[in-house]
Amino acid sequence: MKLSVTLFAVILMLSACSDNHNKDAVEFKATVGDSAKYWVQHVSRIDLATATIGESTTLSLLRYRIEQTDATTLRFSVIPEYFKNTPYCENQFRRLQTKVAKYCALVWEGFKLDLNPADGSLINLQRTSASGWQTMLDKGTNLLVKSLRNTVNAPGFIQTIPKIIGSKITLHDFSGFTLTMIVDKVTSETIELSFTRDDPQFRQYGKVIVNQSNGWLQHATLIAEKPLGSYQTAYTRTVMQKTNEYDAPGLITVIKDHRRVESNWTDISQTAKYHAAQDAPIDKSFFQFSQARMQQWGEIIDTDLKISDEKQQPQGEVRFENLRGQSTIDPELNIKFSPRFNPMISSTEQGVYANMRLMAMTSARLSSLNLIDSITAEMVYYPAKIESHTLPWPSNKPKTYSLGQAQLEITPVPNKSNIYEVTYISANDDYLLPVFGGVEGQFSRLPQKLAPSGLV
């Protein structure tokens, strides 16, 4: 029984650049110096009918930069700014975990990735330091090296993506298989595609989202399943999310395991009461930062910051940027941190608090983290305004409402009495609060649907 280990998953969805711009298709614009960062999560697991018997999870922050583009080579540098591999199993994976830890140092310097600009095939992959890469080849296990190379050219190379819903694109080398992708959705900013390979012996499905203006991948979710025996299934999931400088990797975890989704129902009346807050704007005097606490758990640091003595939680988003750890013992120490999730803001009788779980970027050693006695950050507050709309609730037929540039869809769930699916679609940076005045009952957030019907 084997479970693959991925040092970090490298997934590229590229469109070839052409001399004549095609307004009816998305094309990748390869310019030397362009770069993008991606949070990548890769999970490999072996399941019995009732339990998981082995799992390996990799989380990494990868920075891609175009170093060369010509008729023969499209070269990227791939630099990991964060990398964490957590395999576990009672017997099999302890030795494997030791091997991963031994060779993680070879990963930190980064890699050079050369592709053929004509068809996207892999020309060359090596560590930035050629000698270091040779060391990995000479002393590393075949499992580690093969796993790294096999994940580089997935899900394949797309020369052009038509902006036509229903268009089909064939990938001739997706993990050794031919796969068809279908254009599902076209917006003013992105184009979405889904794919599936429904084979009893090897099922693959997922979704990718590509930026229309430059062809760079925005998001990809890839799922593969393979039966190993009467009660065993090998399951892999890779999620790749393009990130801004200070986005937390918790953003990519919104896509749950499609077979283990549990609905958490909350009373609408209680939620409406909780959100019946004052929508008055606040000024700088609201933020006072009078108390703070820091606690270290190995490589993780938990922080609690009292941001205000007021009891009312502000409407809007609080983000912390440029997080740095310092030490009075070692004044030269300056470690960059990223929150594992966006800050959790809570209101109490004593004030408003922000809780964060921080991860050290780059290859900071635990001995260095133990020296940290202060953390500095820049806090950014994005104010928000709550708008309410009065709309008639439909009885038993689907209903669509236009709310400016947004659209609200309410659809009865088939064969289920008094259960509706509510979908909010907006081109702006806003979202729907689960507050429904005059409607009693419970609500539950639905996971993103990736698998075609019949596969789940």
Side-chain angles (χ1 to χ4, degrees), residues 164-185:
I164 302 174
I165 295 177
S167 297
K168 295 182 178 181
I169 301 168
T170 300
L171 302 179
H172 295 285
D173 187 15
F174 181 90
S175 301
F177 298 95
T178 298
L179 196 68
T180 299
M181 302 190 72
I182 300 175
V183 176
D184 288 333
K185 184 178 180 181

Side-chain angles (χ1 to χ4, degrees), residues 443-455:
F443 77 92
S444 177
R445 298 185 185 276
L446 293 174
Q448 183 171 347
K449 297 178 181 179
L450 288 174
S453 59
L455 279 185

Side-chain angles (χ1 to χ4, degrees), residues 86-320:
T86 54
Y88 72 85
C89 185
E90 288 298 323
N91 298 313
Q92 295 171 299
F93 297 101
R94 287 182 178 176
R95 182 175 62 178
L96 192 57
Q97 189 171 14
T98 302
K99 291 181 179 180
V100 171
K102 182 178 179 181
Y103 294 103
C104 277
L106 291 173
V107 177
W108 281 111
E109 186 181 329
F111 292 83
K112 295 178 182 178
L113 176 65
D114 291 349
L115 301 176
N116 184 331
D119 59 11
S121 59
L122 179 65
I123 299 175
N124 186 39
L125 169 70
Q126 70 174 42
R127 187 171 177 252
T128 301
S129 169
S131 60
W133 177 247
Q134 191 60 46
T135 300
M136 190 172 184
L137 294 177
D138 293 339
K139 298 182 179 181
T141 65
N142 290 333
L143 176 63
L144 291 173
V145 175
K146 183 179 179 180
S147 179
L148 178 61
R149 295 185 66 93
N150 285 349
T151 56
V152 167
N153 57 350
F157 190 94
I158 299 179
Q159 188 159 1
T160 58
I161 306 176
K163 299 180 185 179
I164 302 174
I165 295 177
S167 297
K168 295 182 178 181
I169 301 168
T170 300
L171 302 179
H172 295 285
D173 187 15
F174 181 90
S175 301
F177 298 95
T178 298
L179 196 68
T180 299
M181 302 190 72
I182 300 175
V183 176
D184 288 333
K185 184 178 180 181
V186 179
T187 72
S188 58
E189 298 180 351
T190 62
I191 183 168
E192 299 183 13
L193 305 95
S194 65
F195 61 92
T196 178
R197 182 178 185 273
D198 191 8
D199 186 311
Q201 296 303 314
F202 191 68
R203 302 195 302 178
Q204 297 171 303
Y205 49 93
K207 175 178 289 187
V208 297
I209 302 175
V210 178
N211 186 297
Q212 274 217 41
S213 63
N214 55 28
W216 282 83
L217 175 73
Q218 294 293 113
H219 178 94
T221 299
L222 318 174
I223 296 175
E225 297 178 6
K226 183 177 182 180
L228 298 179
S230 300
Y231 300 99
Q232 297 177 359
T233 299
Y235 167 86
T236 65
R237 180 194 66 188
T238 300
V239 181
M240 186 173 187
Q241 178 70 51
K242 190 174 185 295
T243 177
N244 295 319
E245 178 70 19
Y246 300 108
D247 283 344
L251 295 173
I252 69 174
T253 62
V254 296
I255 300 178
K256 305 293 184 181
D257 180 347
H258 67 290
R259 295 164 298 174
R260 299 180 181 223
V261 173
E262 297 180 0
S263 298
N264 297 316
W265 292 87
T266 304
D267 290 339
I268 289 177
S269 58
Q270 296 176 3
T271 305
K273 181 178 179 181
Y274 176 79
H275 282 287
Q278 297 294 326
D279 193 22
I282 62 175
D283 55 30
K284 293 181 179 180
S285 63
F286 176 88
F287 301 102
Q288 296 157 2
F289 312 111
S290 56
Q291 298 176 11
R293 180 189 64 85
M294 178 177 69
Q295 189 170 7
Q296 184 177 350
W297 305 91
E299 298 177 357
I300 298 295
I301 294 180
D302 281 337
T303 62
D304 277 305
L305 175 64
K306 187 176 183 180
I307 63 177
S308 179
D309 292 331
E310 302 290 336
K311 299 178 182 180
Q312 182 61 56
Q313 181 173 333
Q315 299 297 338
E317 185 178 9
V318 174
R319 300 284 293 274
F320 291 85

